[in-house]
Amino acid sequence: MCGIVGYVGPKPVIDVLMPGLARLEYRGYDSAGVALNHGGSLTVLKQAGRIADLQGLVDREGPAEAHTGIGHTRWATHGAPNTGNAHPHMDCRRDVVVVHNGIIENWVDLKAKLVENGHDFDSDTDTEVVAHLIEEMADLPLADAVRKVMNQADGALALVVMRKSEPDVLVGARRGSPLVVGRGKGENFLASDIPAFLEHTRHMVIVEDDRVVEIRPDEIVLTDLEGNSMPLDERMVEWDFEAAEKGGFDTFMLKEIFEQPHAIADTLAGRIESPGRVVLDELTIDSEILREVDKVFVVACGTSYHAAMMAKYAIERWARLPVEIDIASEFRYRDPVLDHRSLVIGISQSGETIDTLAAVRYARAQGSVVIGVSNVVESALARESDAVLYTRAGPEIGVAATKTFTTQLVAMQLLGLYLAQVRGALDPGAIELQVKELLRLPDQVEAVLARADDVKELTSAWVDTRDWFFLGRSGDFPVAMEGALKLKEIAYVRAEGYAAGEMKHGPIALIEPGVVVVGVATDSHVQAKTLSNMEEMKARGGTIVLVAEEGDDVGHVADHVIRVPSGPDLLCTVTAVVPLQLLAYYVATARGMDVDKPRNLAKTVTVE
Ligand code: M6R
């Protein structure tokens, strides 16, 4: 989720790049940098921190006469968010500069070969391999070299590359990560997002996947990876700045809901090895220590706690380890029994939630091993854990967690399978089956999102409904809890999440006509029981909505059915929660609420 901008034309390039980067800061802001080509000599300026920090450096050292350049604002995935890892990156001869958004999955292998060939690396990033690969092709025109790089690199990536010796050309390439061309008069732009060039032009050219584009002041050339020329698909941008920042969506929350297929794919990238092994190289905890673990504790708050609930099912089922889960603010005060054989997993998208940090510190003080699961590289949780597993959702701006939740679910499933693998608790064939299903999730979530309008239509009758229940069993239980939390926090209506079987022990007294009861019934081994519980709600006059897999025979119980693609039980948590995010979103917006900034809430809670 980094931001990229590039420019060729008559203007002082710095006057285009710096405002462009400021417009992209919502995509990531842990470091930023620019590379400027002035008459065949290159200046690279980069800085940890925000664009404002880079601006100071540019004001002091930026050559005013440069007219071609590239810029980048970073959201760290590989390598700490420091100045050394900031983009742009260069080759050994300081001839090639590159900025990149995405993940090069096979970068470790590519880097090893380059090191063998004598290349020296300056950073810990996956990106730098691109500069050194192009250095090896010094005799080729830049666009040809970039095509060859795209044929070698696996994963989702968008690149913009510049060469000292070709001062009037930028070459971009795209697979999976966004990249667009802005067409101006006697000037052209390349960017990850439209806001970067919107003040200069409203003409944009779409770059599809596996395309390479060359821009010069008066020319845009688009080719496929074999070098065949492709027609330019040019469009007019009708959005204003605010809409462009949100990718044309009305709110950041909706944009982030729709980013989930990509975020999930990024979180899986490079972590599954054919034919079906989980590879978590970043978990630098000795396998022997993981084999010695006799109990797991998972601590988290809010939405992250719902990911912890799912993690309990995953780790117990697959790794056959007992798991306790705790709301982080409660953990220390119950005096939990911990020792060096306890594995404590702290989940926090921000990595700064003080309750979760305090729980993790407490666990380490008892000698336990701690794994942090966070969306923010080098967050406090990451720094204070023995090892960290990053979700790669990119920055989440809406206060309500959406893409960070589904990527947490995916990360915890990877971790559950990894523990099973290391401990030999699950047959490799069974692990292979699960990981193959995990790889289908991005497409499955895409399929759910394609039906967003159906959810919107459904919710129109319930804008003024004040009482909601969300029910589920087993893996569907955390999904129900999360559905209720989403609705509470953004629509300000009472929504209870409950284990479906628990309703009869009291809360069923609240069911009467006018109450909407959403049942999540994707988990096949408890589905019949969930359906019976929903019948009980129906008999008391509740309006019944069911989230169920394609093909399941549930229509007789429900007033309305929301379908999700079928898949293995725990993996369905990821697809099943998406319609509930949409449901909360459409109810809240129909009620006129500011979903990106719900009242009384903060994105990161740093007080106990
Ligand atoms: O950054 P964290 O994951 O530690 O945040 C935990 C909760 O504060 C967070 O999930 C909160 O519940 C959100 N408002 C949920 O949408």
Side-chain angles (χ1 to χ4, degrees):
M1 273 294 287
C2 307
I4 292 177
V5 57
Y7 175 75
V8 280
K11 294 182 179 130
V13 67
I14 216 64
D15 295 348
V16 177
L17 297 187
M18 292 308 291
L21 287 179
R23 292 280 184 195
L24 296 183
E25 210 169 15
Y26 66 93
R27 291 188 64 91
Y29 37 75
D30 52 45
S31 61
V34 289
L36 314 164
N37 196 328
H38 39 112
S41 97
L42 278 183
T43 301
V44 175
L45 301 169
K46 48 193 195 173
Q47 178 79 53
R50 294 195 165 237
I51 309 295
D53 301 309
L54 176 67
Q55 185 71 58
L57 184 63
V58 165
D59 290 345
R60 288 192 303 279
E61 298 178 24
E65 66 277 20
H67 297 277
T68 306
I70 55 180
H72 188 270
T73 176
R74 182 168 186 247
W75 174 261
T77 57
H78 292 76
N82 55 32
T83 301
N85 288 331
H87 297 214
H89 291 286
M90 302 187 85
D91 64 329
C92 305
R93 295 193 304 192
R94 303 298 189 241
D95 179 47
V96 179
V97 268
V98 58
V99 290
H100 162 222
N101 172 30
I103 296 162
I104 300 171
E105 289 175 26
N106 56 338
W107 71 284
V108 175
D109 293 346
L110 293 171
K111 181 171 176 174
K113 284 183 204 138
L114 288 161
V115 169
E116 230 176 82
N117 288 353
H119 291 264
D120 287 326
F121 277 72
D122 292 330
S123 75
D124 308 317
T125 64
D126 52 341
T127 307
E128 199 185 332
V129 298
V130 174
H132 294 277
L133 284 170
I134 294 174
E135 180 182 7
E136 299 226 315
M137 298 181 260
D139 49 329
L140 289 183
L142 187 54
D144 289 351
V146 170
R147 271 187 284 274
K148 284 193 184 292
V149 169
M150 290 299 284
N151 282 318
Q152 291 177 63
D154 296 335
L157 58 154
L159 301 171
V160 181
V161 188
M162 182 168 75
R163 222 182 219 167
K164 187 161 73 175
S165 47
E166 294 180 59
D168 285 330
V169 60
L170 296 182
V171 177
R174 173 196 171 153
R175 181 185 305 132
S177 299
L179 188 69
V180 281
V181 177
R183 184 201 276 283
K185 287 202 176 82
E187 59 181 1
N188 285 310
F189 307 79
L190 261 171
S192 52
D193 303 76
I194 294 162
F197 56 70
L198 204 51
E199 68 179 276
H200 304 283
T201 179
R202 289 189 166 268
H203 295 267
M204 72 163 190
V205 175
I206 308 283
V207 181
E208 302 281 2
D209 279 351
D210 288 321
R211 298 282 183 267
V212 169
V213 62
E214 285 170 78
I215 63 165
R216 295 179 177 79
D218 290 307
E219 192 183 28
I220 301 167
V221 178
L222 189 68
T223 58
D224 65 13
L225 294 188
E226 276 70 53
N228 301 308
S229 142
M230 305 303 289
L232 298 185
D233 177 2
E234 193 162 335
R235 313 221 180 142
M236 276 292 282
V237 184
E238 307 292 351
W239 300 333
D240 59 16
F241 272 118
E242 211 191 315
E245 236 183 17
K246 293 173 186 153
F249 290 96
D250 290 342
T251 61
F252 280 110
M253 183 180 171
L254 194 60
K255 174 173 176 268
E256 286 156 6
I257 288 174
F258 275 81
E259 281 171 351
Q260 290 179 110
H262 198 108
I264 292 166
D266 280 352
T267 299
L268 289 168
R271 288 169 168 167
I272 291 175
E273 196 174 70
S274 181
R277 251 176 65 80
V278 180
V279 188
L280 298 180
D281 289 335
E282 62 265 61
L283 282 196
T284 47
I285 297 174
D286 200 281
S287 298
E288 202 43 53
I289 294 177
L290 293 179
R291 278 190 280 272
E292 285 296 305
V293 165
D294 63 1
K295 193 161 191 180
V296 178
F297 296 78
V298 193
V299 291
C301 303
T303 289
S304 298
Y305 176 73
H306 300 149
M309 289 173 72
M310 195 286 307
K312 176 178 168 72
Y313 295 113
I315 296 170
E316 289 190 339
R317 189 174 300 175
W318 294 331
R320 304 304 300 150
L321 270 166
V323 180
E324 289 188 25
I325 52 175
D326 275 86
I327 292 170
S329 54
E330 291 292 316
F331 186 61
R332 287 172 295 160
Y333 306 111
R334 72 175 172 94
D335 201 8
V337 183
L338 296 165
D339 62 23
H340 69 285
R341 294 185 69 189
S342 313
L343 170 64
V344 176
I345 303 171
I347 309 178
S348 168
Q349 76 80 22
S350 62
E352 304 291 342
T353 299
I354 197 73
D355 291 322
T356 309
L357 288 175
V360 155
R361 285 174 193 148
Y362 176 86
R364 287 194 89 188
Q366 314 296 307
S368 306
V369 187
V370 171
I371 295 178
V373 178
S374 177
N375 194 45
V376 181
V377 172
E378 294 284 294
S379 58
L381 177 64
R383 291 194 308 272
E384 296 194 29
S385 300
D386 294 296
V388 59
L389 179 60
Y390 288 113
T391 52
R392 298 177 186 142
E396 189 174 67
I397 294 171
V399 164
T402 52
K403 60 177 180 168
T404 55
F405 177 59
T406 43
T407 52
Q408 283 171 349
L409 294 176
V410 168
M412 294 315 296
Q413 288 170 4
L414 283 171
L415 185 55
L417 291 169
Y418 179 76
L419 290 173
Q421 192 174 278
V422 169
R423 296 169 63 88
L426 203 58
D427 170 69
I431 296 177
E432 194 180 318
L433 278 180
Q434 293 288 340
V435 298
K436 283 192 173 139
E437 292 290 340
L438 273 174
L439 291 169
R440 293 175 59 212
L441 281 173
D443 287 344
Q444 292 184 332
V445 171
E446 198 79 68
V448 175
L449 291 170
R451 295 194 209 143
D453 283 346
D454 297 349
V455 179
K456 184 176 185 179
E457 203 184 311
L458 198 61
T459 54
S460 58
W462 304 320
V463 175
D464 297 318
T465 298
R466 296 296 300 171
D467 292 294
W468 294 71
F469 276 86
F470 289 75
L471 310 180
R473 285 170 173 254
S474 190
D476 291 328
F477 177 30
V479 174
M481 293 294 291
E482 178 60 8
L485 177 60
K486 284 289 89 84
L487 192 61
K488 275 187 268 221
E489 67 181 338
I490 62 172
Y492 318 149
V493 294
R494 275 180 290 277
E496 296 264 15
Y498 253 93
E502 185 65 6
M503 287 296 284
K504 57 187 173 292
H505 299 289
I508 197 168
L510 293 169
I511 304 297
E512 59 184 356
V515 178
V516 178
V517 187
V518 181
V520 188
T522 67
D523 199 327
S524 56
H525 78 292
V526 290
Q527 192 190 57
K529 291 193 188 304
T530 306
L531 294 182
S532 304
N533 297 138
M534 296 304 289
E535 292 276 16
E536 291 154 12
M537 305 308 125
K538 191 176 176 180
R540 270 94 191 155
T543 301
I544 307 299
V545 183
L546 270 177
V547 179
E549 290 178 34
E550 290 302 350
D552 280 1
D553 178 20
V554 298
H556 56 288
V557 186
D559 298 298
H560 308 277
V561 183
I562 300 173
R563 298 285 177 181
V564 295
S566 58
D569 291 342
L570 289 179
L571 274 52
C572 270
T573 51
V574 180
T575 45
V577 77
V578 176
L580 303 190
Q581 297 168 343
L582 290 167
L583 184 150
Y585 179 84
Y586 290 126
V587 172
T589 48
R591 288 169 60 76
M593 304 311 173
D594 179 351
V595 296
D596 282 341
K597 295 193 191 78
R599 70 184 183 201
N600 307 339
L601 299 183
K603 185 70 184 160
T604 305
V605 184
T606 52
V607 290
E608 279 197 56

